[in-house]
Amino acid sequence: MASIPQKVSERLSQGIKRFQPILTNAKSRDVNESDTVIIVTDMLSEIFGYDKYSEITSEFAIRSTFCDLATKINGKVQLLIEVKAIGLELKDNYVKQAVDYAVNQGIDFVVLTNGIIWKAFKVAFTKPIDQEMVFEIDFIQLSNKNSEDIEKLFLLSKEGWLKSTLYDFHSQKQALSRFFLGAMIMSDTVVEVIRRELKKVSPDIKITSEQIRNVVYQEVLKREVVEGEKADEAKKKINKALNKFSKSKIAKKNVTSDESTTEECIAASNQEEVN
């Protein structure tokens, strides 16, 4: 994650101290959704660094429906925020409403919150439309002295957004998902490495890549990791990345070879001049 400026880190830390008692009190009074929206708006401004009057929009209209809040940077909407009453449990069907808003507007991330719990989702523009939870924060449980808690808040801050930290965090989480790791283990490159290492252990036994792949598929990895839409998507992304890397490596090798040939020609030419 990108380093957090000291001034921003201090603001996030102070925000935790200031709003934890406010949220606790609001929950004890079981305030309604409208009052929760007011608290969340103040949090977006005082903690996350958005200008209340130019970068936070209330009741953002999308095709005759409304999303509670939206953040804007340079006039462009970046994040949609669906707010529920502070005492309300955040159920999955609430996420769909927020995601529908995002899809209609072409926005990548949505947040569902009741002021205390904050859930960030990455919208998947697939058929059907889907979403993936990137992270969840329980604001009451945060510590203003814990660097990891400060980093979690930074993901949603204006400064973090300008550094694309939420995108980077999602990419890292995706790369470490069981589907990506499963697809990576099943890739030709990794299977070949395993075959070579097994050859060192049992040099007299012939082991093929296909045998290794079958054992890993049937006995090592869980079926849900290597089958299904998410597994297929991970496999496609990894194959695309590996192919891109291979082409880049070949191109670099060709450039190096051309440079060597050029250097040899120059050296030969210089030698002729000497002679």
Side-chain angles (χ1 to χ4, degrees):
M1 183 184 294
S3 59
I4 305 175
Q6 182 64 29
K7 187 176 180 180
V8 176
S9 180
E10 291 174 358
R11 189 189 71 221
L12 295 172
S13 177
Q14 290 299 316
I16 293 174
K17 290 176 62 178
R18 169 166 162 69
F19 278 91
Q20 280 181 336
I22 292 174
L23 291 167
T24 301
N25 179 265
K27 186 176 182 181
S28 68
R29 293 186 290 112
D30 195 23
V31 302
N32 60 28
E33 185 173 306
S34 297
D35 289 339
T36 305
V37 170
I38 294 174
I39 296 174
V40 170
T41 301
D42 287 343
M43 293 175 75
L44 290 172
S45 176
E46 297 182 33
I47 301 176
F48 298 108
Y50 297 96
D51 185 279
K52 184 183 291 188
Y53 304 106
S54 64
E55 295 175 333
I56 303 174
T57 299
S58 176
E59 293 294 324
F60 184 70
I62 303 174
R63 293 187 179 180
S64 301
T65 60
F66 292 90
C67 185
D68 295 307
L69 295 169
T71 59
K72 298 192 297 184
I73 297 178
N74 297 324
K76 182 180 179 181
V77 174
Q78 306 291 342
L79 190 67
L80 295 182
I81 304 167
E82 183 71 8
V83 183
K84 298 300 177 184
I86 197 165
L88 199 64
E89 180 184 353
L90 300 181
K91 298 180 180 180
D92 290 346
N93 60 309
Y94 299 148
V95 176
K96 184 181 184 305
Q97 183 180 7
V99 169
D100 287 344
Y101 291 150
V103 170
N104 289 331
Q105 198 68 14
I107 295 170
D108 290 325
F109 291 95
V110 300
V111 168
L112 178 65
T113 183
N114 58 9
I116 294 176
I117 304 299
W118 293 67
K119 296 183 178 183
F121 295 86
K122 173 68 171 63
V123 179
F125 292 86
T126 55
K127 293 183 180 180
I129 297 298
D130 198 6
Q131 73 280 334
E132 173 191 358
M133 190 168 78
V134 182
F135 68 90
E136 178 178 342
I137 294 174
D138 184 336
F139 199 90
I140 297 296
Q141 299 300 319
L142 297 179
S143 169
N144 70 308
K145 296 182 179 179
N146 188 307
S147 60
E148 291 185 2
D149 288 348
I150 299 297
E151 288 177 356
K152 289 177 183 176
L153 293 183
F154 184 65
L155 292 171
L156 293 179
S157 70
K158 176 182 176 180
E159 294 83 1
W161 190 270
L162 291 172
K163 293 184 177 182
S164 300
T165 54
L166 192 52
Y167 283 95
D168 294 341
F169 184 84
H170 173 258
S171 296
Q172 182 187 54
K173 181 179 179 180
Q174 198 175 49
L176 292 174
S177 75
R178 63 184 185 274
F179 302 107
F180 265 65
L181 292 177
M184 181 64 74
I185 292 171
M186 292 289 289
S187 68
D188 292 341
T189 303
V190 174
V191 169
E192 179 57 26
V193 171
I194 294 174
R195 190 191 68 80
R196 290 202 304 266
E197 293 303 309
L198 287 175
K199 189 68 175 176
K200 296 176 184 178
V201 177
S202 305
D204 298 328
I205 301 176
K206 183 179 180 180
I207 301 174
T208 67
S209 296
E210 193 59 31
Q211 287 175 316
I212 294 171
R213 186 176 283 103
N214 287 335
V215 172
V216 171
Y217 180 80
Q218 296 175 11
E219 302 181 28
V220 178
L221 297 176
K222 292 183 178 180
R223 184 175 296 275
E224 65 184 61
V225 173
V226 292
E227 293 183 359
E229 291 182 8
K230 290 186 177 180
D232 291 340
E233 181 183 354
K235 190 184 302 181
K236 288 178 182 178
K237 288 185 177 180
I238 285 176
N239 288 337
K240 184 177 179 180
L242 290 175
N243 289 336
K244 185 177 180 181
F245 176 77
S246 297
K247 290 178 181 178
S248 175
K249 193 172 182 181
I250 292 172
K252 186 175 181 181
K253 183 177 180 181
N254 290 338
V255 169
T256 303
S257 177
D258 291 342
E259 288 176 350
S260 299
T261 303
T262 302
E263 290 173 358
E264 291 172 359
C265 291
I266 293 174
S269 176
N270 289 340
Q271 185 63 40
E272 289 179 1
E273 291 180 2
V274 171
N275 294 336

